[in-house]
């Protein structure tokens, strides 16, 4: 997970409430289930002696939905002063987690959070496009429809062969005009929202042509399922999830290779184990904090004393380190590893 996303957490004072739960509002009897879950989480905060101001902040985001479609979760990190994070998770934790402490509990967010670059989702056809900008947390932040002024867009067989050729050429030119207008607007939104990735949904001819009209500075991914008129939210969510999963696996591969390359050198550039990783974090040497199944024994750093699975991620974000969970491809002592900026 990119450190910049968690910078606000690292610069805030506790106590922190860290809450992870499944958002059930897209199910049958969803509102009733959601109300029961919210009351239960609120009760758990009270039992852990969360200040009244913190519980008020918790209640303030109750009805935030973020347009979640399909099975998903939410992650909340809250202090008495503000809600620091209210994020979508790609999948919920196995059970609801509610903790209150002097440090936040960030491991579930790193493991399951919606951590990707912002992108534009473009649903296109021969008349134009529906555009939606999504941020790195998976939230819709802007949307609009662009319908070109080229019409008609269907060729018609009327009159003789010459007449048919005329209408065919006119239709093709109108389609080109419409998709060019949509691509121009997409490029403008990309500049405005600092986006470099465009996901394109639509029948193959429209999406291929649309991609060609976009500037080369933008990366495009064509999604085969769905169309502008008939894309189900579930299909779109599934396609996006597959892209995110692919990117996560790619990054795991890359970070595993970097970690292994840093081992066994005369000047080590990677370490593992709670004590060695903690020492590197205290010196500000960690570029990326890795974890597998992290140990939760109590550790201390200066005036901070907390379980390792809270303290190490907190120190990482305070020093600008990235955080990433890796799977069984890497074995780390105590479940922690670090790639270092320098020996």
């Amino acid at each position: 997970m990119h450190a910049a996303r968690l910078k606000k957490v690292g610069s805030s004072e506790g106590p922190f409430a860290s809450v992870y739960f499944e958002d059930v509002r897209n199910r049958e009897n969803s509102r009733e289930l959601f109300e029961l879950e919210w009351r239960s989480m609120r009760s758990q905060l009270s039992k852990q002696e969360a200040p009244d101001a913190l519980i008020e902040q918790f209640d303030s985001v109750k009805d935030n939905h973020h347009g979640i479609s399909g099975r998903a979760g939410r992650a909340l990190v809250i202090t008495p002063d503000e809600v620091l994070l209210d994020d979508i998770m790609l999948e919920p934790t196995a059970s609801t987690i509610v903790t209150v402490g002097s440090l936040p509990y960030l491991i579930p967010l790193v493991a399951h959070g919606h951590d990707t670059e912002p992108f534009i989702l473009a649903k296109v056809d021969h008349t134009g496009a529906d555009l939606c900008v999504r941020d790195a947390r998976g939230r819709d932040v802007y949307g609009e429809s662009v319908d070109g002024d080229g019409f008609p867009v269907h060729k018609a067989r009327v009159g003789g062969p010459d007449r048919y050729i005329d209408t065919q050429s006119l239709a093709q030119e109108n389609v080109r005009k419409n998709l060019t207008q949509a691509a121009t607007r997409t490029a403008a939104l990309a500049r405005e929202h600092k986006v470099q990735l465009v996901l394109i949904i639509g029948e193959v001819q429209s999406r291929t042509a649309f991609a060609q009209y976009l500037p080369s500075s933008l990366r495009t991914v064509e999604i085969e399922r769905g169309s502008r008129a008939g894309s189900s939210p579930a299909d779109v969510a599934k396609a996006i999830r597959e892209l995110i999963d692919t990117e996560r696996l790619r990054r795991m591969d890359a970070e595993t290779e970097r970690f292994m390359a840093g081992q066994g050198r005369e000047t080590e550039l990677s370490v593992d184990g709670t004590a060695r990783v903690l020492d590197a974090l205290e010196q500000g040497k960690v570029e990326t904090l890795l974890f597998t199944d992290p140990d939760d024994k109590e550790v201390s750093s200066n005036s901070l004393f907390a379980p390792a699975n809270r303290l190490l991620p907190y120190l990482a974000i305070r020093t600008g380190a990235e955080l990433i969970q890796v799977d069984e491809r890497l074995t780390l002592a105590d479940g922690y590893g670090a790639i270092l900026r320098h020996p």
Side-chain angles (χ1 to χ4, degrees), residues 119-122 124 129-133 142 144 146 178-200 210-220:
F119 60 86
I120 294 175
L121 180 66
V124 304
D130 297 326
L131 306 175
C132 176
V133 181
Y142 181 79
E144 69 175 71
V146 180
N178 293 339
L179 291 176
T180 299
Q181 290 175 353
T184 299
R185 181 55 184 154
T186 302
L189 286 176
R191 291 191 298 271
E192 181 181 344
H193 293 273
K194 297 180 174 56
V195 170
Q196 293 183 319
L197 175 63
V198 181
L199 307 186
I200 308 171
F210 176 78
Q212 292 175 345
Y213 300 140
L214 291 171
S216 59
S217 58
L218 296 177
R219 301 192 334 273
T220 61

Side-chain angles (χ1 to χ4, degrees), residues 45-80:
L45 290 173
S46 296
K47 288 178 180 178
Q48 295 180 56
E49 300 182 349
D52 290 343
L54 191 154
I55 295 177
E56 289 177 7
Q57 293 289 348
F58 175 71
D59 284 335
S60 73
V61 295
K62 178 179 178 180
D63 291 320
N64 289 1
H65 190 227
H66 306 317
I68 295 173
S69 177
R71 188 169 186 263
R74 278 175 70 188
L76 302 173
V77 179
I78 304 169
T79 70

Side-chain angles (χ1 to χ4, degrees), residues 35-51:
E35 291 289 346
L36 289 172
E37 178 74 347
W38 196 268
R39 286 198 295 271
S40 174
M41 293 187 293
R42 199 177 191 280
S43 174
Q44 291 179 63
L45 290 173
S46 296
K47 288 178 180 178
Q48 295 180 56
E49 300 182 349

Side-chain angles (χ1 to χ4, degrees), residues 137-186:
R137 296 174 178 174
R139 300 175 298 187
D140 295 347
V141 296
Y142 181 79
E144 69 175 71
S145 293
V146 180
D147 291 302
D149 52 20
F151 184 83
V153 292
H154 298 288
K155 51 184 176 283
R157 183 176 293 277
V158 294
D162 292 341
R163 178 59 177 164
Y164 175 67
I165 293 173
D166 288 344
T167 60
Q168 181 181 20
S169 299
L170 177 61
Q172 290 173 342
E173 173 58 21
N174 285 333
V175 170
R176 186 201 65 79
K177 182 188 298 184
N178 293 339
L179 291 176
T180 299
Q181 290 175 353
T184 299
R185 181 55 184 154
T186 302

Side-chain angles (χ1 to χ4, degrees), residues 280-298:
L281 284 166
E282 289 175 330
Q283 297 181 58
K285 298 196 302 185
V286 176
E287 180 180 314
T288 305
L289 174 66
L290 310 173
F291 66 87
T292 50
D293 185 15
D295 189 88
D296 62 353
K297 66 183 177 184
E298 298 280 326

Side-chain angles (χ1 to χ4, degrees), residues 85-98:
L85 285 174
D86 180 2
D87 276 12
I88 297 171
M89 298 213 295
L90 290 172
E91 58 187 55
T93 50
S95 59
T96 298
I97 298 172
V98 179

